[in-house]
Amino acid sequence: MGAFRSAAINVGSISIDPDMFAGAGPAESGLRALVACDLEEEDAECSGCSRVVPYELTAPIAMLQSKDHGSEVFECVPISESENVILYLHGGGYKYGSPASHRGVTGRLSGISGLRCIAIDYRLAPLHPYPAQLHDALLAFIYLLMQGFKPQNIVLAGDSAGGNLALVLFLLLRHTGVARSVCGLVLISPWADLVSNRSSMSRNAKYDYLTGPPLQSPLAMARVFYAPGRRYSQSMVDEMSHPLVSPVNGDFADFPPTLIQAGEKEILADDIAQLYENLLRDNDPERHDSFVFESYADMVHVFHQFKELPDA
């Protein structure tokens, strides 16, 4: 387990060249606009108008009890040059959740791994639709670099929508050149395909709590996140199939070591299995040991949150 402290990233302290987003598909125009909006806030006449991205830093109990460390464990700077750190992106369908709602998961993750964990409170849809969440995650990653962490020492982790965001963030980091690789990814029941029609969507619907209207409905979670209020069309489906929205369709060549965990009875089971198959497809057989997929019998979506379960 771990203990946490709250802090915030001052967005005005982070400079982003919007031209880095050239060729980023459906994310490009939105990311450019969001960067411009942050600059407008920073240039406002009132003092203290700069936007912030709140976060919680969790430190493992073992580190807190160590005589080698003091109050610096709650400062977002490397304790050592080679320290690994987790950037955690919470789930909730991009509509719900916060670092507070996921303290049980991040606390256990920090305690089990022995690593400090930074969980950001990214903006939520529908007030802030795609790609606001990706923008906040990118800002958090760049912030960690500015604080002295190296890309090869940062683990990207997340559950459900947060697993989607971790994947999409890495694909964007690689596209923009901000980072060619990271320490690794930990994906808990990742939402890999926002337009999926694979058979587990219907096969496991009677078992999983994660159910909702089909994509044709304006209330579908994917549409509320990606384009609230927009009419259903094939062009929208095509946009949402882009790897920076549905990362199952990405290029996984030379991907960092990745751990995927999921439940056999969740509706996303087939999407997650396809994600793993694509990881193997795009990498040489000698690297296949770098990708681990653990599918838990009789478990549902993000069963890790039910801490009374032995598998959790």
Side-chain angles (χ1 to χ4, degrees):
M1 301 297 271
F4 74 93
R5 294 291 185 276
S6 298
I9 300 168
N10 183 345
V11 173
S13 67
I14 302 175
S15 177
I16 292 182
D17 179 4
D19 288 339
M20 73 166 62
F21 303 126
E28 179 178 351
S29 60
L31 287 170
R32 287 181 180 271
L34 290 166
V35 170
C37 185
D38 281 344
L39 287 174
E40 289 176 5
E41 287 192 19
E42 184 65 19
D43 293 339
E45 292 182 4
C46 60
S47 60
C49 287
S50 181
R51 187 172 70 86
V52 299
V53 177
Y55 69 88
E56 289 184 357
L57 190 158
T58 299
I61 295 298
M63 183 178 290
L64 295 173
Q65 294 174 338
S66 171
K67 295 180 180 179
D68 297 330
H69 304 299
S71 60
E72 76 273 11
V73 299
F74 290 118
E75 297 175 10
C76 193
V77 292
I79 294 175
S80 67
E81 186 176 348
S82 60
E83 182 192 9
N84 291 335
V85 68
I86 301 168
L87 175 58
Y88 194 85
L89 305 165
H90 70 79
Y94 286 122
K95 292 174 58 181
Y96 314 105
S98 69
S101 68
H102 283 64
R103 283 175 192 157
V105 173
T106 54
R108 282 182 288 144
L109 184 59
S110 179
I112 290 169
S113 67
L115 304 181
R116 295 191 293 166
C117 179
I118 288 87
I120 67 168
D121 195 4
Y122 59 78
R123 289 169 288 181
L124 298 175
L127 183 61
H128 300 287
Y130 179 87
Q133 303 76 15
L134 180 55
H135 181 218
D136 286 351
L138 176 63
L139 288 168
F141 190 91
I142 295 175
Y143 172 75
L144 291 179
L145 299 182
M146 292 172 59
Q147 296 301 104
F149 291 100
K150 300 174 182 178
Q152 63 266 30
N153 295 129
I154 300 175
V155 178
L156 303 181
D159 66 282
S160 191
N164 173 283
L165 188 52
L167 281 162
V168 170
L169 171 61
F170 179 71
L171 293 175
L172 181 67
L173 292 173
R174 195 164 60 175
H175 174 84
T176 58
V178 171
R180 294 299 179 186
S181 193
V182 295
C183 183
L185 286 88
V186 176
L187 308 172
I188 300 171
S189 297
W191 193 12
D193 190 350
L194 271 64
V195 297
S196 173
N197 59 2
R198 294 182 179 89
S199 62
S200 62
M201 298 292 290
S202 56
R203 183 181 73 246
N204 288 340
K206 60 184 177 181
Y207 304 113
D208 200 4
Y209 64 87
L210 186 67
T211 58
L215 194 62
Q216 289 77 5
S217 168
L219 298 179
M221 191 170 291
R223 287 178 61 183
V224 172
F225 156 62
Y226 181 76
R230 181 174 166 184
R231 286 184 177 275
Y232 179 84
S233 66
Q234 186 58 49
S235 62
M236 184 183 70
V237 174
D238 292 342
E239 290 173 24
M240 295 172 68
S241 299
H242 191 278
L244 290 184
V245 185
S246 294
V248 71
N249 300 316
D251 177 5
F252 298 102
D254 300 319
F255 217 68
T258 301
L259 169 64
I260 304 171
Q261 295 182 337
E264 286 185 1
K265 295 301 184 183
E266 61 177 292
I267 62 173
L268 303 184
D270 289 354
D271 300 345
I272 297 168
Q274 186 64 59
L275 172 67
Y276 175 66
E277 290 299 321
N278 291 354
L279 279 165
L280 299 183
R281 176 201 65 196
D282 292 348
N283 289 274
D284 293 332
E286 58 264 27
R287 290 205 65 231
H288 285 184
D289 287 347
S290 297
F291 311 112
V292 178
F293 176 34
E294 298 176 349
S295 183
Y296 288 76
D298 300 323
M299 292 294 104
V300 295
H301 186 65
V302 194
F303 61 89
H304 307 65
Q305 66 186 316
F306 306 113
K307 59 183 180 180
E308 66 276 9
L309 295 175
D311 284 347

